Amino acid sequence: MDSTGNSNSSFKTYMELGWTGGHITHGSGYDVAHRQLRSSALESFKVDPSVTGRKYIPNMHTITTSEELKTRIKADVEATVPLEGVAIESTNSYLRSVKTSDTSLVQVIEEIIQDDPVRASVHNLKLTAEAGALLANGVKDFTEKYGEYFVYGHISRARFTAVCNIKTSSKDLRENIKSSLAGKVGDAKGISAALESYNSSNKESCSMDMHLEVDRIGGKDPEKKPHVEIGELVKAWDQFQADFETTPYMALLCHYSVLDSKFPIPQNQFQYLGSKISAAYQSLYLAQNELSNSLMVQAASCSDTVAKACDLVKSLNVNDEAAVAHMHKTVQDCLAEVEQWRLRFDLQSDAKKLEDTNMSFSWVSSGGQKEWSSGKLGIAGDPKYSAIGSDVKHRREQFSTEWKSYRQYQTYSLGDAQDSVIGYRITNEWNNNDNGWFKLHHGAIRQDSSVKVEFCAETWRGCNWSLDVWTVPKIMYEVQQAKF
């Protein structure tokens, strides 16, 4: 995308927006460039309340570092506060009081129950007489009062969150607890049993503090329960599953051009600004549109920059050539940053698509095979990703040894806690049958922070193996769940 209006992004007739409380209603207008609600331009209408389907989405997050903790808080806030100037408390507010250390971990257990979308039939909706008259006089005044979109439906959900702050006396005990919880997503009884087992058998070296946050149940308001017993987890979980009530959390937006042909389609809606700046404003509008729908959590930080650039464009003196040149430079910088976030999403998606899900976790013989790989093996030389080349870190270790009268072992773990693995390669440097074995311990693409591989040489023989690992910053590449 550039400041002349060229873009690979499609113009959207329909969008989504977080439902952040009573100030959003069906019919509310929305200004994309400034992420602000506007007055309703529509006569009163109702949506179809019937629910045709429902999704159950379990989640589990293990937090061991302060950076991971900051990311989890930030992700939760940005997922629920998409509007400029709206300040509400994040669902996982308890996390703000948690401290991390080398011997502690925080376990977040979550269940989201989400209804299918409910919508009004937009072709039956009508502008009010006032809004119609304003539109008849031109798009500029109409959009300043009502925005470019209106709310025509919503998605509802219910959410259960349990946060367990676990403090131990050693890093080994922390890792043991972490391993015992792995694979128990959606299994409240299994999680509770594992936590209670460690809590009771390690009273002198382990302490746990459980905090629950539950959306509406049986007509009651959302509830927070601090400092509960571990056993309360299953009871609260079962009650939530039996009596949950879904409430709106995502607003569905429709462009005004669907209602009235006098409102230009998205591609032409800013022509009233004039030929010198309409294309620049249009490109920023598209960028803000893209950011609002991005699944990259940290991309939201770019939205304020784009909104300020929109104000700069609209207030510009088009006869001031220096100001126009500065405006184009500002717009180009904004668009370059948005492009980087698009590339980051593509990179983590490409890595996941290239993951070898059949990699064995048992000992594998060299067997004359040259290499084994999974995920995206870096981006060096790939022109598509040149703009984010500094995001990717490459690590390499080589186990090369002469013969001994016994089997020789070497283990490497490449990657840090703040990393996310996007690819790795295990290479049989001798490329023959006599190079021994390797064993992959972990290395899930986009899930693990490191790749751990153990090598073994045959008795009376040496070996030559190498391990290459590519990672990206975990915080920067965190992806939130699809909105629906």
Side-chain angles (χ1 to χ4, degrees):
M1 183 191 301
D2 62 33
S3 61
T4 63
N6 296 319
S7 172
N8 293 323
S9 299
S10 60
F11 292 86
K12 294 180 180 293
T13 303
Y14 298 94
M15 299 195 336
E16 303 85 42
L17 174 72
W19 192 291
T20 53
H23 53 282
I24 295 183
T25 61
H26 293 123
S28 293
Y30 181 61
D31 177 345
V32 171
H34 296 89
R35 296 181 297 136
Q36 293 178 344
L37 291 173
R38 301 299 187 200
S39 302
S40 175
L42 304 175
E43 293 182 357
S44 179
F45 66 91
K46 295 182 179 180
V47 298
D48 181 0
S50 61
V51 176
T52 58
R54 181 167 280 160
K55 297 177 183 177
Y56 292 77
I57 309 169
N59 274 310
M60 194 163 72
H61 311 287
T62 302
I63 301 168
T64 56
T65 68
S66 60
E67 290 303 314
E68 290 173 341
L69 185 62
K70 290 176 184 177
T71 300
R72 180 53 44 201
I73 294 171
K74 184 178 178 68
D76 196 60
V77 170
E78 290 181 344
T80 53
V81 189
L83 295 176
E84 177 69 21
V86 176
I88 62 172
E89 188 176 26
S90 68
T91 303
N92 291 335
S93 57
Y94 173 67
L95 291 178
R96 296 181 181 278
S97 64
V98 169
K99 304 293 184 182
T100 59
S101 72
D102 289 341
T103 59
S104 67
L105 67 93
V106 180
Q107 190 65 48
V108 181
I109 304 109
E110 184 181 64
E111 171 90 337
I112 295 174
I113 300 174
Q114 183 171 294
D115 292 338
D116 283 349
V118 293
R119 305 177 175 92
S121 175
V122 294
H123 299 291
N124 293 329
L125 303 182
K126 296 181 180 180
L127 295 175
T128 64
E130 179 185 358
L134 199 59
L135 180 58
N137 290 330
V139 175
K140 181 178 182 294
D141 291 340
F142 181 93
T143 55
E144 286 184 356
K145 183 169 184 177
Y146 302 116
E148 304 90 16
Y149 290 82
F150 63 91
V151 178
Y152 78 111
H154 67 270
I155 305 170
S156 294
R157 75 174 184 186
R159 182 174 176 179
F160 174 97
T161 305
V163 181
C164 188
N165 187 19
I166 304 169
K167 299 178 180 179
T168 71
S169 60
S170 70
K171 192 171 183 178
D172 286 343
L173 179 56
R174 182 189 76 171
E175 292 304 309
N176 288 340
I177 296 174
K178 182 178 177 180
S179 297
S180 72
L181 297 172
K184 289 184 169 60
V185 178
D187 179 11
K189 291 183 179 179
I191 295 170
S192 179
L195 292 175
E196 285 191 308
S197 175
Y198 274 99
N199 201 31
S200 60
S201 61
N202 297 274
K203 289 186 179 296
E204 300 299 321
S205 54
C206 178
S207 65
M208 299 185 184
D209 181 28
M210 179 71 77
H211 179 87
L212 301 176
E213 298 190 8
V214 187
D215 283 352
R216 289 177 62 85
I217 295 179
K220 298 179 181 178
D221 289 334
E223 188 174 11
K224 297 180 180 181
K225 296 180 178 180
H227 315 303
V228 301
E229 297 293 327
I230 300 299
E232 284 288 310
L233 172 61
V234 175
K235 180 181 177 181
W237 178 278
D238 288 344
Q239 184 182 5
F240 172 76
Q241 297 290 333
D243 300 323
F244 69 87
E245 295 180 12
T246 59
T247 55
Y249 93 102
M250 190 69 66
L252 304 179
L253 305 179
C254 179
H255 197 260
Y256 285 115
S257 60
V258 174
L259 297 186
D260 195 309
S261 59
K262 290 191 291 295
F263 197 98
I265 59 175
Q267 292 91 329
N268 303 324
Q269 62 189 335
F270 299 117
Q271 288 183 349
Y272 69 86
L273 293 172
S275 59
K276 287 190 176 182
I277 63 174
S278 61
Y281 196 88
Q282 182 84 293
S283 61
L284 290 171
Y285 168 89
L286 283 170
Q288 195 72 289
N289 191 334
E290 183 173 347
L291 288 171
S292 69
N293 289 280
S294 175
L295 297 180
M296 300 298 288
V297 172
Q298 300 296 325
S301 62
C302 186
S303 292
D304 288 339
T305 303
V306 175
K308 290 176 182 177
C310 287
D311 290 336
L312 172 66
V313 173
K314 275 195 169 182
S315 62
L316 189 70
N317 178 0
V318 295
N319 295 317
D320 185 338
E321 293 184 2
V324 172
H326 172 70
M327 177 272 292
H328 281 294
K329 175 64 167 58
T330 300
V331 172
Q332 288 286 4
D333 291 344
C334 284
L335 302 183
E337 186 175 352
V338 174
E339 173 66 11
Q340 288 179 342
W341 286 112
R342 184 189 304 119
L343 290 174
R344 287 172 182 134
F345 180 80
D346 287 351
L347 178 57
Q348 58 85 30
S349 297
D350 287 349
K352 195 63 178 178
K353 291 174 185 175
L354 294 169
E355 182 176 24
D356 184 351
T357 56
N358 295 318
M359 286 289 285
S360 173
F361 290 91
S362 302
W363 285 103
V364 177
S365 170
S366 57
Q369 183 171 332
K370 175 65 176 176
E371 65 180 41
W372 296 255
S373 65
S374 183
K376 180 75 171 172
L377 306 184
I379 58 176
D382 188 337
K384 174 181 178 179
Y385 293 114
S386 60
I388 56 170
S390 61
D391 288 359
V392 179
K393 187 172 184 178
H394 174 219
R395 297 175 176 87
R396 177 181 173 85
E397 289 287 354
Q398 190 163 357
F399 179 40
S400 178
T401 183
E402 300 295 329
W403 68 269
K404 300 288 184 182
S405 61
Y406 51 85
R407 289 184 174 179
Q408 301 174 73
Y409 292 87
Q410 178 66 53
T411 301
Y412 296 111
S413 181
L414 303 185
D416 297 324
Q418 59 267 37
D419 292 329
S420 177
V421 174
I422 62 167
Y424 63 87
R425 179 175 62 220
I426 301 165
T427 305
N428 171 6
E429 298 289 354
W430 284 355
N431 195 21
N432 63 21
N433 298 320
D434 303 316
N435 203 26
W437 306 266
F438 76 85
K439 182 178 182 180
L440 175 67
H441 289 266
H442 62 250
I445 303 301
R446 281 179 40 195
Q447 296 179 22
D448 287 335
S449 298
S450 62
V451 178
K452 182 178 180 181
V453 179
E454 187 175 2
F455 297 104
C456 176
E458 295 181 19
T459 305
W460 298 106
R461 291 194 63 85
C463 68
N464 192 354
W465 292 94
S466 64
L467 170 64
D468 293 89
V469 175
W470 290 267
T471 62
V472 292
K474 182 184 296 184
I475 294 176
M476 183 180 292
Y477 278 77
E478 184 173 13
V479 180
Q480 62 179 306
Q481 290 181 350
K483 294 168 182 174
F484 60 88

